[in-house]
Amino acid sequence: MKINGIETRTVYCKDNKLVIINQNKLPFEVEFLELEKIEEVLHAISTMQVRGAPAIGATGAFGLLIALNNIDKSNWKIELQKAYNSLLATRPTAIDLKNCMDIAMDSVKEISDYDTAMEILNLTSNHIADSSVAACRKIGMFGNYLIKDGERILTHCNAGALATVDYGTALAPIRQAFYEDKNIFVYVDETRPRLQGARLTAFELSQEGIDYNLIADNAAGYFMQKGKISMVITGADRIALNGDAANKIGTYTKAVLAKENGIPFYIAAPLTTFDLSLESGKDIPIEERDGKELIEVGNAKLTFDNAKTANPAFDVTPAQYITGYITEIGVIPSGEIVNIKKS
Ligand code: MRU
């Protein structure tokens, strides 16, 4: 992604250090963190310094490399498995974390020598990150065909370069359409309580020069009714076999509103976000986050300290509300995910 005109990846490994952009400081400060210990990686994922399903996936794979680099060589298999278990427990909904770490773990399954394992894990984790970027670029190309000149697109949360290793999922077709000089406009849901739309998506779009309006979470229905929104594209954290998709809390509401107003609703996601072992979205675990996220933003109190809260971080949009899935292998119409399993 471009930050102040300079192209950078948002997650990468250099000299056995995992480099991430601290998303909790954006848009006010661009801080790159260099993580050298597994504890730092665990903290980064659970406090959402790094967030977004594909970004967490790549971070998990690099996290295993960081862990392997620091552990007792004689006992490395057991220690690596412990690191895998701890990383997996950080955020339960996004399946990319498990899918990417499984690829990394599989790559060293048959290896007994520590130095060879280090070399292989280094290659594999970098390959996972590179493949994620390649998938996002293809999502951009396929999704761009759906975007007409003059399209006015609503997006929810942040499914941009920050949420991936680069380029984004929901923002990838939008970038591509913009690069092809289509006249497009983006409505950005603020995305309470963590404000990923306000802080991250608005930041990414403004860095690219793509025209947008930040809107309050509950304003989307108003703009749909007025005919101002012609398409919705969001990302996803886990997509089940029947097409139900978990994404940031509030996505379901937007999907129902879109259907009511006759507006196509697309999910953009790489294959690492699909969980074909789950028949339906009913079985997707939904992360419940600290109620403090509703009570304060930074140092600003929004209500009294001991207000009672419930804070699910995701909801599940049933497949019937989803027009199609923009993936790196093309746009899959609703109801046809089962064909990925067959191929
Ligand atoms: O809690 P977050 O910020 O990690 O949630 C992120 C989302 O819900 C994104 O829409 C999703 O991960 C897709 S990111 C390309």
Side-chain angles (χ1 to χ4, degrees):
M1 72 177 287
K2 264 191 218 142
I3 300 188
N4 302 328
I6 297 167
E7 278 293 338
T8 181
R9 281 194 178 188
T10 60
V11 179
Y12 60 93
C13 222
K14 197 174 165 218
D15 305 329
N16 290 326
K17 288 178 194 149
L18 170 56
V19 184
I20 58 164
I21 296 177
N22 184 352
Q23 298 191 37
N24 289 335
K25 295 258 173 100
L26 286 172
F28 308 109
E29 189 186 331
V30 181
E31 178 187 58
F32 285 88
L33 296 174
E34 293 190 349
L35 315 178
E36 294 181 70
K37 297 192 188 117
I38 182 67
E39 293 74 21
E40 293 169 336
V41 182
L42 295 170
H43 178 259
I45 301 176
S46 53
T47 60
M48 296 172 65
Q49 287 174 335
V50 59
R51 42 127 323 264
I56 300 172
T59 303
F62 283 131
L64 292 172
L65 181 66
I66 298 292
L68 188 60
N69 191 39
N70 288 294
I71 58 192
D72 173 12
K73 291 187 186 185
S74 61
N75 218 8
W76 71 265
K77 283 215 171 206
I78 293 172
E79 295 293 318
L80 190 64
Q81 186 60 48
K82 280 192 202 157
Y84 171 96
N85 296 344
S86 315
L87 284 161
L88 196 59
T90 50
R91 299 207 64 195
T93 304
I95 193 66
D96 301 59
L97 180 60
K98 179 173 189 308
N99 284 342
C100 292
M101 287 203 300
D102 284 350
I103 296 169
M105 291 298 273
D106 277 354
S107 73
V108 293
K109 201 167 63 189
E110 306 296 333
I111 310 294
S112 47
D113 171 60
Y114 172 88
D115 292 325
T116 311
M118 240 345 252
E119 244 172 77
I120 290 184
L121 204 49
N122 188 13
L123 285 173
T124 311
S125 50
N126 278 292
H127 177 70
I128 288 168
D130 292 345
S131 308
S132 177
V133 179
C136 287
R137 287 185 181 274
K138 286 185 187 153
I139 287 171
M141 290 193 288
F142 286 120
N144 170 47
Y145 289 113
L146 301 170
I147 298 179
K148 298 180 292 296
D149 202 43
E151 204 84 74
R152 302 174 74 84
I153 307 158
L154 174 75
T155 192
H156 189 68
C157 193
N158 170 262
L162 290 161
T164 58
V165 177
D166 202 358
Y167 218 69
T169 55
L171 290 196
I174 292 171
R175 274 182 209 283
Q176 193 62 35
F178 175 74
Y179 296 153
E180 295 192 10
D181 285 333
K182 286 184 190 168
N183 168 25
I184 53 164
F185 187 85
V186 185
Y187 285 95
V188 179
D189 282 338
E190 58 179 349
T191 318
R192 285 278 296 143
R194 297 285 301 215
L195 299 169
Q196 289 94 330
R199 294 191 300 106
L200 307 176
T201 302
F203 175 74
E204 281 196 38
L205 293 174
S206 68
Q207 289 287 325
E208 287 285 345
I210 301 173
D211 204 8
Y212 70 94
N213 273 168
L214 174 63
I215 61 171
D217 274 339
N218 36 20
Y222 169 89
F223 288 107
M224 287 186 189
Q225 230 176 18
K226 294 260 175 217
K228 300 277 188 199
I229 292 171
S230 55
M231 178 186 219
V232 184
I233 312 180
T234 74
D237 287 80
R238 195 185 297 217
I239 302 167
L241 188 60
N242 72 342
D244 294 352
N247 191 48
K248 180 53 53 195
I249 190 79
T251 304
Y252 168 50
T253 322
K254 305 300 146 66
V256 175
L257 277 170
K259 189 158 192 167
E260 170 69 19
N261 287 278
I263 297 166
F265 181 98
Y266 287 95
I267 294 269
L271 296 182
T272 51
T273 305
F274 287 75
D275 184 352
L276 305 183
S277 72
L278 294 185
E279 286 294 326
S280 83
K282 278 203 305 289
D283 304 317
I284 299 177
I286 299 296
E287 177 182 3
E288 182 76 26
R289 291 191 64 87
D290 196 326
K292 263 201 196 142
E293 291 181 350
L294 295 162
I295 292 175
E296 58 196 33
V297 176
N299 295 327
K301 290 266 183 233
L302 303 177
T303 186
F304 54 100
D305 276 335
N306 55 352
K308 290 185 184 174
T309 57
N311 188 20
F314 302 95
D315 58 26
V316 174
T317 299
Q320 69 189 91
Y321 295 105
I322 300 168
T323 312
Y325 307 82
I326 310 168
T327 75
E328 67 269 42
I329 56 169
V331 179
I332 303 172
S334 195
E336 289 187 21
I337 287 175
V338 71
N339 294 329
I340 305 178
K341 203 170 187 179
K342 287 186 198 143
S343 61

